[in-house]
Amino acid sequence: QSALTQPASVSGSPGQSITISCTGTSSDVGGSNYVSWYQQHPGKAPKLMIYDVSNRPSGVSNRFSGSKSGNTASLTISGLQAEDEADYYCNSYITNRGVIFGGGTKLTVL
Amino acid sequence: EVQLVESGGGLVQPGGSLRLSCAVSGFTVSSNYMSWVRQAPGKGLEWVSVLYSGGGTLYADSVKGRFTFSRDNSKNTVSLQMSSLGTEDTAVYYCARRYANSPVTMDVWGKGTAVTVSP
């Protein structure tokens, strides 16, 4: 199955808000509320930031929020900070096929 | 403390086999869903497999028939037996715990172990 579609890169200045999109199909993103977002700093393991479209795990800043409309999920980061600079990945689920990830988005904090 | 530690990575020739292990502390593997996710050099994340608490498994099409995900309850470890390896399997392999009720949610990750498939 093809990867979910994410922009290759986004950027923003400290304090600003940015949104990363994740586009799939009705068989994955659009077909359930199973969308998660992961943050990955260089050389590090991914970290769960959002699950089930819009839920934040304990310990994740409330500057991170998630949403979904149709076949597109979105991750919004408000009050951008230098430490937010990282790669971000979305994923979703295809019944009986497993998990599919997005290609990843590199966030640059200017 | 909840922790996952992968081991077993290394250099292997095309067509060869390798067994990765993931030592778990802080929770029991037999009661949880576990996953493997890999990342080729400079590339994105790719889901590999899930092992359900009931013992069933699911694999990505790219590894089906070549990889086997298992666990050892007595050692509280999970393992990924990889065979017929090709250069496309070169990646860092991460072990992760998956939420039981959310198939795409992996809340705890190991630091990964690197696998290089090269002549």
Side-chain angles (χ1 to χ4, degrees):
Chain A
Q1 54 267 30
S2 300
L4 304 175
T5 301
Q6 296 181 231
S9 63
V10 297
S11 63
S13 299
Q16 288 185 332
S17 294
I18 63 95
T19 296
I20 299 172
S21 61
C22 170
T23 301
T25 69
S26 58
S27 296
D28 39 65
V29 173
S32 74
N33 284 326
Y34 296 136
V35 177
S36 293
W37 289 90
Y38 299 85
Q39 175 191 67
Q40 186 180 36
H41 287 107
K44 301 295 186 181
K47 175 187 176 183
L48 178 66
M49 305 302 286
I50 295 288
Y51 69 97
D52 292 352
V53 175
S54 59
N55 294 306
R56 260 189 323 274
S58 174
V60 172
S61 170
N62 59 10
R63 298 185 298 105
F64 291 82
S65 63
S67 63
K68 191 188 83 166
S69 178
N71 297 335
T72 298
S74 299
L75 173 71
T76 298
I77 309 173
S78 60
L80 211 55
Q81 300 179 358
E83 67 207 48
D84 300 331
E85 184 162 297
D87 294 327
Y88 291 84
Y89 295 90
C90 64
N91 71 358
S92 187
Y93 185 70
I94 302 176
T95 304
N96 296 326
R97 296 291 301 278
V99 179
I100 183 170
F101 278 94
T105 298
K106 181 178 179 60
L107 169 62
T108 300
V109 179
L110 302 171
Chain B
E1 179 190 7
V2 173
Q3 192 174 16
L4 307 178
V5 179
E6 303 93 337
S7 61
L11 176 64
V12 61
Q13 293 188 336
S17 298
L18 205 59
R19 187 178 182 87
L20 307 182
S21 293
C22 174
V24 174
S25 55
F27 66 92
T28 55
V29 296
S30 60
S31 302
N32 282 267
Y33 291 17
M34 299 296 295
S35 291
W36 287 95
V37 174
R38 68 184 181 183
Q39 186 170 34
K43 303 297 184 181
L45 301 174
E46 179 187 15
W47 175 80
V48 173
S49 181
V50 61
L51 175 62
Y52 301 111
S53 57
T57 53
L58 188 64
Y59 299 93
D61 289 345
S62 58
V63 306
K64 198 175 298 182
R66 301 187 299 122
F67 289 12
T68 301
F69 196 173
S70 62
R71 70 184 179 218
D72 185 332
N73 295 339
S74 66
K75 296 181 179 178
N76 210 35
T77 62
V78 295
S79 296
L80 186 69
Q81 177 68 45
M82 307 185 296
S83 61
S84 301
L85 287 165
T87 56
E88 69 276 10
D89 296 313
T90 294
V92 173
Y93 285 73
Y94 295 101
C95 172
R97 182 177 70 178
R98 201 208 86 171
Y99 276 11
N101 296 325
S102 181
V104 302
T105 301
M106 289 161 270
D107 67 329
V108 182
W109 295 67
K111 293 183 177 181
T113 186
V115 173
T116 302
V117 184
S118 180

